[in-house]
Structures are given as structure tokens and as C-alpha cells.
Amino acid sequence: MKDTNCIFCKIAAGEIPSRTIYEDEQFRVIMDISPATKGHALILPKEHYANLYEIPEEVAADAMKLAKKMASEMTQRLECDGFNLAQNNGEAAGQTVFHFHMHLLPRYKEDGNQEKFAWNHLELSEDEVEEIYQKLTK
Ligand code: 5GP
Ligand code: ZN
């Protein structure tokens, strides 16, 4: 299914032009319009799923297989020093386009993002940690 109001549906379908670096029946991989690093790209499924909760398991598995393939190929071509995969779900997690996508982020020593990609660590009490552990396991 496509969503007629969704920009990534239109890009994935080729209705809006994009710099496409890979395409098959299921996915299009495009260069991000506002790259965080040199070569920042996005894997878009051609079908519309808002996020990880909605995407079928098999499509998610295929997206991860493609991410692995793209990471190897891009690392070779760009001679980057490392690689991040990122995938945001929901506003609270930083999602701004509500069509599932995976960020492919080639990383370079001193690429200016060393801090941005890190996160702060919480200082939780033993009780708080235990409470979360119980929620995750009971
Ligand atoms: P999110 O924050 O939802 O995980 O990521 C959305 C990403 O899509 C951002 O990195 C943003 O720069 C990128 N983006 C938004 N609109 C467009 C567009 O029209 N074309 C391309 N190529 N990238 C886009
Ligand atoms: Zn869409």
C-alpha cells in the first residue's frame, strides 16, 4: 500500500526524483537531502509502513540484509572508517518522516559528529534498574 500524502512513498515510487544509489523491486536507497556525514543515505521500502512496529517481519529482515550489503559497498567506495545504522520510530525517538527508513551513515575519523552520535548515560538507582528489568521480563 502507498500513502498519497507521504513524500517517501513518492520518492520510492520514482514520482519525485532523488539521487538513487540502489534500487530493486522492494527498496530504493537514496542520498539524504540533509546529510549528517558524507554519503549519508536512506533505505526506503517501496510499500508504506510508518515505522518498525508496522513493517512486516520479512520486509524488516530484507531491509537489514540490504543494509549489510550497502554498508560493505559504501565503505569500499567511500573509504570511510566506520559505519552507523540508525532507525528512528516516533517523534520521541527523532523520527520526522513517518515512512519506515534506515539511515546508512558512513563515518570518518574527525567527521565532526563524534559527540552527536553518542548519548548521555543515565544514573539510575538499583531499584529503578530492577523495576525496568521486571517490566522487561515478567
Ligand atoms: P528521520 O528523522 O525521520 O529518521 O529521518 C528523516 C531523514 O529524511 C532526514 O535525515 C532528512 O534529511 C531526510 N529527508 C527528508 N525529506 C527528504 C527528501 O525530500 N529527500 C531526501 N533525499 N531526504 C529527505
Ligand atoms: Zn510512505
Side-chain angles (χ1 to χ4, degrees), residues 64-81:
M64 183 50 102
K65 282 186 192 165
L66 178 55
K68 175 174 167 56
K69 200 168 112 174
M70 292 306 300
S72 302
E73 171 107 18
M74 290 167 74
T75 299
Q76 222 172 24
R77 286 178 182 260
L78 299 171
E79 298 182 317
C80 56
D81 304 308

Side-chain angles (χ1 to χ4, degrees), residues 122-136:
L122 293 172
E123 288 189 19
L124 298 176
S125 67
E126 261 308 303
D127 283 354
E128 287 171 313
V129 174
E130 184 57 27
E131 190 187 331
I132 296 160
Y133 178 62
Q134 293 297 328
K135 279 188 187 170
L136 288 170

Side-chain angles (χ1 to χ4, degrees), residues 25-80:
E25 266 188 13
Q26 226 181 348
F27 300 101
R28 183 187 291 268
V29 182
I30 62 167
M31 293 184 69
D32 195 291
I33 202 167
S34 177
T37 65
K38 291 179 180 171
H40 182 179
L42 303 170
I43 296 181
L44 312 181
K46 292 187 173 178
E47 291 295 310
H48 181 86
Y49 312 107
N51 50 42
L52 186 63
Y53 306 114
E54 286 192 4
I55 195 169
E57 214 173 84
E58 320 77 65
V59 186
D62 288 345
M64 183 50 102
K65 282 186 192 165
L66 178 55
K68 175 174 167 56
K69 200 168 112 174
M70 292 306 300
S72 302
E73 171 107 18
M74 290 167 74
T75 299
Q76 222 172 24
R77 286 178 182 260
L78 299 171
E79 298 182 317
C80 56

Side-chain angles (χ1 to χ4, degrees), residues 3 6-9 47-49 98-99:
D3 179 335
C6 172
I7 183 148
F8 280 3
C9 277
E47 291 295 310
H48 181 86
Y49 312 107
F98 297 91
H99 174 125

Side-chain angles (χ1 to χ4, degrees), residues 7-8 11 16-19 30-36 40-42 44 86-90 93-99 101-103 105:
I7 183 148
F8 280 3
I11 291 175
I16 294 178
S18 64
R19 285 201 165 93
I30 62 167
M31 293 184 69
D32 195 291
I33 202 167
S34 177
H40 182 179
L42 303 170
L44 312 181
Q87 200 278 307
N88 302 327
N89 299 285
Q95 188 176 12
T96 57
V97 179
F98 297 91
H99 174 125
H101 51 281
M102 285 179 81
H103 293 263
L105 290 152

